[in-house]
Amino acid sequence: MSTTATQAKPQGLALLLDWRRIRFTLILSIAFGLLFSFGWTSGLPSLLIRTVLLGLLAMLAFGLFEQWPKRLPRWLARWVLQVVAVAATMPSATLWIYILSTAPGAPPFWKDSDRLSGFGLLTVLGLLLAPWVALGAVVRQKDALARHQALAFELERTKLEGQAVDARLRLLQAQVTPHFLFNTLANVQELVDSGSPQAAIVLRSLVAYLRASVPRLNETATTLGQELQLVQAYLELMHMRMPDRLQFAVHVDDTALALSCPPMTLLTLVENAVRHGVDPSEEGGRIDIHLQRRGERCVLQVVDTGAGLRQSVGGLGTGLSTLRERLQLAFAGDAQLRVSAQHPRGVCAEVEFPARGTATS
């Protein structure tokens, strides 16, 4: 939306002496002067001077009563006051112009038939034309005000929609963070319950990992490069917990690392593969992560050889369901999350969204 559309209406002298009004008045006054110059006996310059003076005085009357008085009785509309003021200006202004233009010692203009005729012509034409011009200006003003209010309303509506989407994203983010923490702590709990000697090592690594990663979880956006660092740390942690059952590999298109994405997009896919794919499988499994930029699109793919969809607990799970909704909000529906079974076993989870520049949090 342009800045001009939302500018406040000028007030005081700025409105009274608005250049666009002056320009319009000059053009219209000169046009009327030229139109009625036929038969004018005092010469064209004197006629143009009079029509321009009358036009400017009418403009000032229009602008004055546009702002003053600030409050009017209910029965009196502002536009009526402006039109009446312009109409009243015509005969009085014409009278003063003729009085002031009378040379010293010369007879009054009403005793000069030519000047009296000119006075009558300008007065009648002013009374016939000026109120209609003022009325047209009022209509144009109201139309411009209606457009301005419509634009302001649209701007406010867009702003509120943006705030609603942002609030929804933050709410979903607030749901994701404890979900991720509880899942990770549950893995450590399993080691502690089983009396594994790896429990203490994993717990220390987990604390260090959470200390570095939790602040990022509250950011509104991150880069795929930062997201990948988080995922690698998470996988190394999980590998310490089940060294014989988890293998992983990362395949990265370097041009995708600077692209922005919602926080925990890739981490959610990987965590889902570990929790619902590799962990429940007796043989364990392998996780392959692919980050690619395909033209104007970015594709994240996490493929595991774990238990597969049928053995997964709770279908797609809370993490993927929440991720799907976050992507729809973040990219206004221009993002997809696809989950498919792999042969002979395993799951492929793929996220595709517009490739955008470096994220700003």
Side-chain angles (χ1 to χ4, degrees):
M1 182 173 294
S2 68
T3 306
T4 306
T6 57
Q7 283 179 344
K9 183 180 178 181
Q11 299 293 325
L13 282 177
L15 178 62
L16 206 60
L17 301 177
D18 183 79
W19 165 242
R20 288 172 298 180
R21 289 188 178 189
I22 294 175
R23 183 180 57 190
F24 174 77
T25 302
L26 290 176
I27 293 173
L28 198 63
S29 300
I30 293 173
F32 281 149
L34 293 174
L35 185 63
F36 297 109
S37 62
F38 303 101
W40 186 266
T41 58
S42 301
L44 181 60
S46 67
L47 175 60
L48 292 181
I49 290 173
R50 286 169 171 77
T51 55
V52 168
L53 282 174
L54 286 172
L56 292 174
L57 290 170
M59 182 201 75
L60 292 176
F62 182 88
L64 178 65
F65 288 99
E66 185 179 6
Q67 308 175 76
W68 182 85
K70 289 187 177 180
R71 292 186 179 179
L72 292 176
R74 290 185 178 180
W75 53 266
L76 180 58
R78 175 73 64 182
W79 69 269
V80 173
L81 182 62
Q82 290 178 264
V83 172
V84 170
V86 169
T89 300
M90 288 296 105
S92 57
T94 307
L95 177 62
W96 279 107
I97 289 173
Y98 271 82
I99 291 175
L100 295 176
S101 63
T102 301
F109 74 88
W110 56 83
K111 293 184 178 180
D112 185 326
S113 59
D114 287 341
R115 299 194 72 204
L116 182 61
S117 175
F119 169 78
L121 178 64
L122 286 179
T123 302
V124 171
L125 291 178
L127 285 172
L128 289 176
L129 297 177
W132 287 104
V133 174
L135 189 61
V138 169
V139 172
R140 189 171 178 273
Q141 274 186 330
K142 290 188 177 297
D143 184 56
L145 179 63
R147 288 200 305 272
H148 173 80
Q149 289 177 334
L151 288 172
F153 176 77
E154 181 66 20
L155 177 63
E156 185 67 18
R157 187 181 66 82
T158 304
K159 182 180 177 182
L160 291 175
E161 285 181 352
Q163 291 175 343
V165 170
D166 185 60
R168 180 62 181 160
L169 275 171
R170 290 186 180 278
L171 177 62
L172 291 171
Q173 188 73 9
Q175 294 173 351
V176 168
T177 304
H179 178 74
F180 163 71
L181 294 177
F182 291 144
N183 284 347
T184 309
L185 289 173
N187 289 327
V188 176
Q189 183 67 45
E190 291 175 5
L191 293 176
V192 174
D193 291 344
S194 64
S196 170
Q198 290 288 324
I201 301 174
V202 172
L203 185 58
R204 282 195 295 272
S205 300
L206 175 64
V207 170
Y209 166 68
L210 292 179
R211 185 173 290 128
S213 62
V214 166
R216 293 184 183 177
L217 303 182
N218 293 321
E219 295 176 348
T220 56
T222 185
T223 64
L224 285 175
Q226 293 171 329
E227 186 81 357
L228 186 60
Q229 291 176 0
L230 201 64
V231 165
Q232 286 177 321
Y234 172 76
L235 284 173
E236 288 169 2
L237 187 63
M238 292 299 104
H239 184 68
M240 292 176 66
R241 186 172 72 83
M242 42 186 175
D244 300 329
R245 298 175 56 240
L246 173 63
Q247 292 80 44
F248 65 91
V250 178
H251 313 276
V252 180
D253 173 3
D254 290 340
T255 61
L257 293 178
L259 300 177
S260 65
C261 70
M264 300 188 68
T265 299
L266 184 59
L267 184 60
T268 301
L269 299 181
V270 173
E271 185 201 8
N272 196 73
V274 172
R275 182 170 177 78
H276 301 299
V278 176
D279 211 8
S281 174
E282 293 182 0
E283 299 86 0
R286 173 185 173 88
I287 295 176
D288 282 282
I289 301 169
H290 300 268
L291 270 64
Q292 289 182 296
R293 176 169 186 164
R294 298 176 183 172
E296 298 302 318
R297 308 289 290 180
C298 184
V299 179
L300 314 182
Q301 193 179 63
V302 176
V303 182
D304 71 77
T305 59
L309 285 176
R310 291 182 179 179
Q311 286 71 33
S312 296
V313 180
L316 295 183
T318 304
L320 291 185
S321 299
T322 305
L323 174 60
R324 173 169 285 158
E325 188 173 355
R326 287 197 296 132
L327 289 170
Q328 294 305 310
L329 290 173
F331 295 101
D334 192 18
Q336 292 86 41
L337 168 61
R338 297 180 284 269
V339 179
S340 59
Q342 293 292 290
H343 182 76
R345 62 193 180 97
V347 173
C348 173
E350 186 176 271
V351 170
E352 180 182 340
F353 53 82
R356 295 175 180 171
T358 304
T360 56
S361 58

